[in-house]
Amino acid sequence: MNAILIKLFATALTLSQVTTRPDAVRTRFDPATDGPEVVRLLRDGCAHMRKSFDIEDINLDELISTAMEDPSTVAGPAAPKILHGLDINELNTSYKQFCKGENPANSPFDARAVIEFYDNATKDLPSAEALRDKALPGLTRILDGAGKPFAEASEPNGRRIVVPITAVPTLVQKAFIAAEDKRFESHHGIDERGVIRAFIGNLASPGRPAGGSTITQQVVKNLSVGDDVTYERKIREMIVASRLERILTKPQILGLYLNGIYLGRGAYGIEMAAQSYFGKPVSQLTLPEAALLAGMPKGPNFYSPDRYPDRARERRAYVLARLKDEGTITEAEMNTAIKADLGLKPIEIARRDSGFYVVDFLNREARTFAGVDSLTAGSLTVRSTINAGLQRAVEEALQDGLANYERSTGRQTFAGPELNLADSVRRIQAATPAPEASAQAAPGVTGARADAIKPDARSLKAGKAAAPAPAYKPAWLLALESARPVLYDVRWPLAVVLETGRAGIKVGLADGRTASLDAGVARGKLQPYDLVRVKLTAGKGGPRAQIRVRPTVQGAALVLENQTGRILAMTGGFSYPLSQLNRVTQTVRQPGSTLKPLTYLAALNAGLQPNTLVMDSPVTLQPINGTGESWSPKNYEGGGSGPTTLRRGLEFSKNLVTARLLQGGIAPKAPASLKRVCDIALEAQIYAECEPYYPFVLGAQPVRMLDLAGFYAAVANEGARPAPYALESVERDGKSLYTHAAREPTRIGSADRIAFYQLKTMLQGVTQHGTAAALSKVSPYVAGKTGTSENENDAWFAGLTNEISVVVWVGYDNADGSRKTLGRGQTGGHVSVPIAAAILQAAWANGVPKTALRGPSSEARPFIADLPVDPRSGVRVAGGGFLEHFRTSGDGRMADTQYRLVPRETLYAMRPDAEDGDLAGADDGASVAGDYNGNMTGERPRPDFLDPFGERPAPRSRRAQGDLDPEVQDSYRPWPGQGARSPFGDEGVRRPRRRDPDYLFGEDPGF
């Protein structure tokens, strides 16, 4: 039996059952015994179909006779293709057997073959009940913190907004029924008359084939059995459609249809289409708008009003005529609607280019708190805390910062262009011949008519002046406009390489201009039509472009609102397409010195003052509980600088000072001091558990960026830690699934307000003249701390203003188990601070207030005394000086702890002419292990230009040098808001001379 005949008979068997016995459709037959039953079903089906032929006024016998005599009269010139080589005599014999009741001896029918094909097609048939309960994937709208659209989330082929059928106007419903299935209300899932009309029509006019499918069948095809163009799919579709009609009402089926269909412009469903084409909900569609959309399901691309407006008008007119024939509208209404303009709103590019890490995070949060499977599981409205403008700026700042780091360190590598558009250019050239002259076309590049690719959506109304001649664009520009870049969230502009000759490299830009390209590391590696990223600058005669290549180094950044914990911006990596790992929330890294404020906070809470002297000199701490190795940490440069104040130890990130605080600065014994630091870390929720080993205080235990940011927000709030969050609420169809419960920040009881305030002023000193002195111009508004882990594997900056906390991390991923250094000298101050500076400026430009750091709260003010001190020694002075912030008992009494850790006798024993400057420089990135697991050789000190007291040329005598280094006089300023007087008085404050009570030589100042 011919294979095509087998498929035709199996399809006929299906059609016979669903039209004659829809309540008892069999999906399995026995090939050995059910042959007679199949013959009977086919004969019943043919009898039923003959009635439909009669209703359609088609004489079937005459049609068969005509086809027998000359098939081309039925199928036209395409008869051989349409009949697929079938013998017309076999078809005629089959017709007589099943429709005339004859039993021809030469019947080609083979029941076994038909049954086997049918049984295979109906295997694992989808359930109609699954469609009844199906939740259509929909578009979720994500709003930013201002309630404005921020992003969309949907599954592939699921950009829809589901609406109940009751929300769709009756006129819109009737328009789709008239266009797609005029007997929808009366048939039972299969319209045999429609099938016959389509069959005859396809034979007579084998152009665009008519399907004959009902709305119910289209629902099944779109949402269940798929759209394969096969007999098997058609069989499955008819059976499931018949069953669906038995369990759903007509309005329910129509609702599934209207919400499920694709209508062009990336829109699925009638609501999304209404908004995409006309910028309004379906409830506000006019008659011509409804008719236009109703004509789209037949072919969204073929009838696209954007590309083929004339076709769209013809199809709209057909729908309007059908509505008039059905009596839904009058002839006058039809004529008016036919003349109406298409009324399309401009196409909006739906490609989002920012916030991908944020949306991913929101998706996880929604699953946890709102109980949804995903943001694409339905049409949801998600409100976030994100500041959209700041989010874009943070991503740009991180991308630029990472690229600048690699370019400045010589680590930049070119791995190839993002795309090559040569094939696309050739296709455009072939499809759209160039005009005779096109001034915009690059040498050797054919132009193309712009409206051939992006035609105007609306036609000129009658009576208007003639439209200007359409603009012509070079093919490379059209290819660039339609390109889908791999790194779709990278801020750097795209450019197309046009020329690569000896005269230099020329690139084409998105605005149609061309520019010369500085190819940098890509020199000699570019080909025509390569798509590259560039940075544009103004040059003589036009723009200049410098290539930008994606870095291999990674980074992350976070902006957190201090009082509320709202995440205003977050980016978890250089580019989401390259890596979906969110390094803000999903990874932990060693925080280095950004964790040191914990130790200083514990010391301040224990009663030490910011001017307390601590020895910056080698120290060895014995093993905890007498087991393990002793610990001998190192400064970054390996040396020490002698006695220094607590403030300066933090400002210049001295590892040795931090370690020595464990020796009596917090508790009498080092293990007890470590426990108090750990207690603060646990209460601040930086860690779930604290590893009891000394390098912890130098940031050896990995931390999550999100948790670190919460601690710095607590410092800004004098100890009140907010709970970071980004998800405000989730709604479905106006019903709330989740709403974030506002709550006050949790107070960290392990330290009081006074200690937190003192710590904040010390962190402000870090940005004034410490390791983050690159922020000195904005230091009245910003406090913070740099951090660098051992061997420069991680570079951090964590900072705060009154309103926000900003954390930035830069480093290489450790996915392969290895740790890659950023390079000698690539500390948090050098790598991360510039990125943070850009983020701070962006925050102030996007609505975050720029206010001078606040003084102590009303609760802390009575316990704070602002007194002038010498900035280097911490010694109290009579007037001028740097205003330090001392803890008092509330009645004005103040504990003097300056010499608690470094007794006066120790200072007296030091050589009177010894240098007491901080010769070692800032310490950010020294080994946190030190000699903890073996000796570590110190390295030669290097200059650090962020440390005004760092290594400098060989010192002159103190008499020649003066009492104070000029750099110091410029470095320390009063705390913001305390006046603009000179920090050292009108004539400067002299450093107190060291005086030994047993000195035997008098007081000759010239000795």
Side-chain angles (χ1 to χ4, degrees), residues 194-545:
V195 171
I196 291 170
R197 249 193 359 267
F199 179 72
I200 299 301
N202 290 340
L203 285 177
S205 301
R208 285 182 55 83
S213 294
T214 64
I215 283 177
T216 311
Q217 287 176 269
Q218 292 184 56
V219 167
V220 173
K221 179 183 70 173
N222 293 336
L223 305 180
S224 180
V225 301
D227 59 357
D228 294 340
V229 186
T230 64
Y231 288 92
E232 290 91 336
R233 189 267 296 172
K234 199 68 176 177
I235 290 170
R236 296 159 69 84
E237 173 191 299
M238 287 192 288
I239 296 174
V240 177
S242 176
R243 291 176 174 176
L244 189 64
E245 287 274 349
R246 297 174 57 201
I247 61 175
L248 290 183
T249 64
K250 290 291 185 177
Q252 288 174 317
I253 294 172
L254 186 59
L256 279 174
Y257 173 73
L258 292 178
N259 281 305
I261 52 176
Y262 177 65
L263 294 170
R265 280 198 178 185
Y268 288 79
I270 184 65
E271 177 69 15
M272 179 56 71
Q275 295 189 19
S276 296
Y277 284 102
F278 305 112
K280 62 177 67 173
V282 64
S283 60
Q284 298 178 14
L285 290 179
T286 63
L287 172 60
E289 292 168 348
L292 180 69
L293 294 183
M296 297 292 287
K298 186 177 178 65
N301 294 320
F302 187 81
Y303 293 109
S304 168
D306 299 308
R307 301 189 65 184
Y308 309 109
D310 291 339
R311 291 180 189 173
R313 289 189 182 89
E314 291 175 3
R315 181 64 178 166
R316 182 182 66 176
Y318 165 79
V319 176
L320 291 168
R322 292 289 310 124
L323 284 170
K324 194 266 293 182
D325 293 343
E326 296 292 331
T328 304
I329 61 174
T330 65
E331 185 169 357
E333 290 173 324
M334 178 189 73
N335 291 332
T336 300
I338 288 175
K339 297 176 183 178
D341 189 82
L342 291 179
L344 305 175
K345 77 168 190 174
I347 298 176
E348 294 181 356
I349 302 299
R351 284 180 286 172
R352 177 165 51 93
D353 62 357
S354 69
F356 292 93
Y357 286 104
V358 169
V359 172
D360 199 348
F361 179 69
L362 290 171
N363 187 52
R364 296 171 188 271
E365 295 290 278
R367 287 204 305 264
T368 301
F369 298 110
V372 298
D373 293 335
S374 72
L375 293 183
T376 60
S379 298
L380 305 174
T381 299
V382 175
R383 289 177 170 80
S384 74
T385 62
I386 299 300
N387 180 320
L390 179 56
Q391 175 65 36
R392 291 180 60 86
V394 167
E395 293 180 17
E396 183 172 356
L398 182 67
Q399 290 166 2
D400 285 343
L402 298 179
N404 290 340
Y405 155 75
E406 287 203 344
R407 190 166 55 254
S408 66
T409 57
R411 294 193 173 195
Q412 216 176 30
T413 58
F414 181 67
E418 198 161 332
L419 292 172
N420 184 280
L421 303 181
D423 289 343
S424 179
V425 169
R426 281 193 290 268
R427 284 195 298 269
I428 293 172
Q429 291 173 343
T432 54
E436 293 183 1
S438 176
Q440 290 182 332
V445 181
T446 304
R449 225 180 92 167
D451 63 351
I453 302 297
K454 290 188 175 180
D456 293 335
R458 63 178 71 205
S459 300
L460 292 173
K461 293 183 178 179
K464 284 191 175 183
Y472 288 91
K473 297 181 180 180
W476 64 260
L477 181 56
L478 294 173
L480 176 59
E481 290 174 345
S482 61
R484 294 295 184 266
V486 177
L487 305 181
Y488 44 75
D489 59 349
V490 171
R491 296 277 87 79
W492 307 325
L494 289 165
V496 182
V497 175
L498 301 179
E499 295 180 5
T500 59
R502 292 183 178 180
I505 301 175
K506 181 181 289 186
V507 294
L509 307 177
D511 60 4
R513 295 182 298 168
T514 60
S516 60
L517 175 70
D518 177 0
V521 295
R523 193 174 309 278
K525 301 176 183 179
L526 296 175
Q527 300 295 325
Y529 304 121
D530 277 349
L531 191 65
V532 296
R533 300 280 179 170
V534 298
K535 179 180 180 180
L536 297 175
T537 57
K540 292 183 179 179
R544 298 183 63 84

Side-chain angles (χ1 to χ4, degrees), residues 11-23:
T11 306
L13 176 61
T14 308
L15 185 60
S16 297
Q17 292 189 88
V18 298
T19 55
T20 62
R21 42 183 294 181
D23 296 341

Side-chain angles (χ1 to χ4, degrees), residues 590 592-593 596 633-639 653-656 698-699 787-792 824 827 922-930 936:
Q590 287 185 340
S593 298
K596 286 179 181 175
K634 302 288 187 200
N635 277 340
Y636 183 56
E637 73 297 329
S653 201
K654 297 298 186 180
N655 286 348
L656 295 176
L698 301 185
T788 311
S789 66
E790 187 173 4
N791 296 327
E792 290 95 347
R824 181 65 177 168
T827 64
D923 177 30
D924 181 7
S927 165
V928 298
M936 180 172 291

